[in-house]
Amino acid sequence: TMLSAVVREHQQKQAATRRDLEQKRLEATTAARVVGDVLVDTLNVGVADVFATQRQLESEVRQLHSVLGKFARVSTQWIGMVDSFNQALKEIGDVENWSERIEADMKTIAFALEYAHNGAAESPAPAAGPGAAAAPGASSA
């Protein structure tokens, strides 16, 4: 009768409301899942970019380390070569100094020999020494 019709109508409205609520809950869950997936994908793209950049930086650091090692070896070789060159220049300077002293000694000896040969016969005491006048036939430096 009427009460049972009202109860049935109420139960039908409740069932329809439950179906609507269940549908809305499913839609909300699906929308939340889609939003979560989009956020995760967006974050994953950023994380992937950061990871790729990190790998590239690590590769460049390894290359730089290798280049710096080569540079250090070449620099060490150059330093050794420059030190050797400086030592050779010092030795050349020593040889030059030695040759100048030998040349001066030879001029003194040549002057003394010439004086002994010519000067002793001409005059008993010459006033000229090794620095006074160049010996005939000897070139001055």
Side-chain angles (χ1 to χ4, degrees):
T1 67
M2 188 144 176
L3 182 61
S4 59
V6 170
V7 169
R8 252 189 313 228
E9 183 182 330
H10 176 69
Q11 287 174 346
Q12 287 173 352
K13 284 183 183 180
Q14 275 187 337
T17 304
R18 280 189 199 120
R19 282 190 304 269
D20 286 345
L21 285 175
E22 183 62 25
Q23 181 64 31
K24 300 237 185 251
R25 186 187 65 76
L26 288 174
E27 289 174 3
T29 303
T30 303
R33 186 175 298 124
V34 167
V35 168
D37 289 346
V38 168
L39 288 174
V40 167
D41 288 345
T42 302
L43 289 175
N44 282 343
V45 167
V47 168
D49 288 344
V50 168
F51 183 70
T53 303
Q54 180 182 2
R55 283 196 334 226
Q56 182 181 0
L57 286 173
E58 288 172 352
S59 173
E60 289 177 9
V61 165
R62 282 191 300 273
Q63 289 174 350
L64 181 61
H65 184 70
S66 173
V67 168
L68 286 176
K70 290 176 185 176
F71 177 75
R73 286 190 296 275
V74 169
S75 294
T76 302
Q77 289 174 345
W78 272 100
I79 289 170
M81 290 171 48
V82 167
D83 287 344
S84 297
F85 183 71
N86 282 338
Q87 184 61 34
L89 285 178
K90 287 178 186 176
E91 291 172 4
I92 289 172
D94 291 344
V95 169
E96 183 179 11
N97 184 33
W98 172 81
S99 68
E100 288 172 357
R101 285 189 319 207
I102 293 293
E103 183 180 6
D105 289 347
M106 289 293 121
K107 285 182 181 178
T108 301
I109 291 170
F111 178 76
L113 286 175
E114 188 173 332
Y115 176 75
H117 179 63
N118 294 337
E122 295 175 5
S123 66
S139 66
S140 62

